[in-house]
Amino acid sequence: LIFIASLLLGTTITISSHHWVMAWTGLEINTLAILPLISKSHHPRAVEAATKYFLTQAAASALVLFSSMTNAWQTGQWDITQLTHPTSCLILTSALAIKLGLVPFHFWFPEVLQGSPLTTGLLLSTIMKLPPIALLYMTSPSLNPTLLTTLAILSTALGGWMGLNQTQIRKILAFSSISHLGWMAIIIAYSPKLTLLNFYLYAMMTTTVFLTLNTTKTLKLSTLMTAWAKTPPLNAMLLLTLLSLAGLPPLTGFLPKWLIIQELTKQDMTPAATLISLLSLLSLFFYLRLAYCTTITLPPHTTNHMKQWRTGKPANITIAILTTMSVMLLPLSPMIPTLI
C-alpha cells in the first residue's frame, strides 16, 4: 500500500510541478516506489529486472537534472515551460526517451516487463509512462520536431519487428508499448493534446489486456491457447481488445491513429504519416497472432493438452467496464475535436 501510494504521489508531484527540481523529485519517488514491486518475487529474473530498471532510470533522471541545470545556467529560468536552450532540449528529449523506452533506448523495457509480475507490468506500462509524457507535453513547443519524428518512426518500426518472433506475452506487450509510444512521440510537437488522448486510450486498452491475462493467469502463448476454457466470454472479449490495440477501424484503438494521421497530413507530413501507418502493420501481425491464440479452441498440434478448469468466479466488474470502453468508444469521436 505504501509503495502504491508513493507511486501515485510521485506521479502527481511531477505532473503538477512548475519547477524542474520538483519534477525530478517526483520521477525519483516513482522509480524508488516501483523497484520493490518489480523484485517482489525474489526470482533471479525479477532481481535482474529491478537492477536494469534502476540503472536506466537513474541515468535518465541524471540527464533530466543536467538538461534543466544547463537551461537554468543559460537562461536563468527553472520553470518547466521555459525550456528554450537547444542543447537542453536535446538532452531532455533523450532523457525522456530513456524513461519511456523509445528506440534507441528501448532495450531495458521488454526485459524489465518480462521479469516483473503482471500487475507490476501493468503499472510499468501505464502509470510509469505518465510523468515523462506530462513533461514532454509541458515542454512540447520548444522540442525538436525532426528528432521526435525520427525517434517515433524508429520506435514504431522496431516495436513491430522485434515483437514478431516473441512467445512471451509480456514481451509482446512491451514491444506493442514501444510502437504505441512512437505514435505519441510523432505528434507531440504539433498537437500535444492528441498525444495525451492517445496515451489515455492506450493505457485503458493495455489495462484491460493485463487484467484479463491476470484473471486467466497466462504468461506464454502456449498457455494462452488452452486458457479459453477458463472463462470463454472473457477470452472472446480479449480478442476484440487486442484488435482495438492494433487500431482496427470499428474499435476504440482506431480513433487516436485516425486523428494523428489527419493532423500529420495537415502539417504536410504525408510521407511520415504513410510510413508510420505502414509500420503499424507489423505490430498488427503479432496482435493477430495473440488474438488467434486467444480464441482458437483446440491447440493446432497432436500432443494432448490438459484442459483448464473453468474458474467459478465471474470476471471483475472493472474488467467488464474497461473492455466495453476499449471496444466501443469510437462513436464518441465527433466530441473529441471540441474537447481538444
Side-chain angles (χ1 to χ4, degrees):
L1 187 64
I2 291 172
F3 294 132
I4 298 284
S6 308
L7 260 182
L8 295 173
L9 172 75
T11 308
T12 315
I13 288 176
T14 305
I15 291 171
S16 56
S17 58
H18 291 287
H19 197 285
W20 272 114
V21 176
M22 283 304 286
W24 174 80
T25 313
L27 291 170
E28 285 299 298
I29 293 173
N30 254 2
T31 305
L32 295 175
I34 196 102
L35 284 174
L37 296 176
I38 297 174
S39 58
K40 196 167 59 176
S41 62
H42 298 298
H43 188 277
R45 181 161 280 172
V47 177
E48 182 194 347
T51 314
K52 282 180 178 168
Y53 185 76
F54 174 72
L55 291 173
T56 47
Q57 298 297 316
S61 293
L63 281 176
V64 167
L65 208 52
F66 180 56
S67 83
S68 54
M69 279 169 64
T70 313
N71 188 60
W73 193 19
Q74 298 288 342
T75 62
Q77 284 286 351
W78 278 102
D79 192 342
I80 292 182
T81 50
Q82 302 292 325
L83 189 80
T84 48
H85 195 249
T87 317
S88 307
C89 291
L90 285 176
I91 299 171
L92 181 82
T93 310
S94 53
L96 293 179
I98 297 173
K99 276 217 169 285
L100 287 167
L102 279 170
V103 174
F105 312 107
H106 63 289
F107 295 104
W108 62 272
F109 189 51
E111 304 290 329
V112 169
L113 213 61
Q114 181 56 33
S116 46
L118 278 171
T119 41
T120 312
L122 166 63
L123 291 175
L124 278 171
S125 309
T126 54
I127 293 183
M128 298 303 286
K129 299 259 185 271
L130 187 53
I133 282 184
L135 287 178
L136 276 176
Y137 178 82
M138 288 189 272
T139 55
S140 59
S142 48
L143 296 177
N144 182 347
T146 320
L147 175 68
L148 283 169
T149 309
T150 315
L151 287 181
I153 287 175
L154 283 174
S155 297
T156 319
L158 276 167
W161 255 310
M162 295 172 76
L164 291 181
N165 58 352
Q166 301 293 337
T167 55
Q168 297 285 343
I169 295 177
R170 283 170 295 186
K171 275 198 173 173
I172 291 180
L173 286 170
F175 287 119
S176 102
S177 174
I178 292 169
S179 62
H180 273 274
L181 282 168
W183 279 89
M184 292 176 219
I186 199 167
I187 201 68
I188 187 91
Y190 304 106
S191 172
K193 287 189 175 172
L194 267 186
T195 300
L196 283 189
L197 173 75
N198 193 347
F199 175 73
Y200 294 146
L201 292 178
Y202 159 74
M204 183 179 71
M205 294 183 285
T206 309
T207 309
T208 315
V209 173
F210 269 107
L211 290 177
T212 309
L213 294 173
N214 197 31
T215 308
T216 54
K217 297 282 179 280
T218 37
L219 296 173
K220 295 198 294 290
L221 285 181
S222 53
T223 46
L224 187 64
M225 283 179 184
T226 54
W228 63 272
K230 285 186 180 177
T231 48
L234 190 60
N235 261 31
M237 290 310 286
L238 179 61
L239 159 79
L240 286 175
T241 312
L242 286 166
L243 294 180
S244 182
L245 257 179
L248 288 185
L251 307 165
T252 309
F254 177 59
L255 172 60
K257 285 191 166 54
W258 176 26
L259 291 171
I260 286 173
I261 290 171
Q262 188 182 341
E263 183 62 35
L264 285 176
T265 42
K266 276 184 197 165
Q267 300 286 347
D268 290 337
M269 290 177 64
T270 318
T274 314
L275 192 55
I276 202 166
S277 312
L278 287 173
L279 289 171
S280 67
L281 289 176
L282 289 168
S283 42
L284 173 65
F285 177 79
F286 61 74
Y287 287 125
L288 281 175
R289 217 171 99 206
L290 270 178
Y292 176 69
C293 290
T294 310
T295 45
I296 190 169
T297 46
L298 289 171
H301 43 73
T302 48
T303 51
N304 287 330
H305 260 281
M306 292 288 287
K307 288 285 176 287
Q308 312 272 348
W309 281 97
R310 185 167 296 202
T311 45
K313 63 179 194 298
N316 197 327
I317 183 74
T318 320
I319 301 181
I321 294 169
L322 282 171
T323 309
T324 314
M325 287 170 69
S326 300
V327 173
M328 296 185 176
L329 280 191
L330 191 65
L332 287 183
S333 50
M335 263 174 60
I336 303 290
T338 57
L339 297 175
I340 286 179

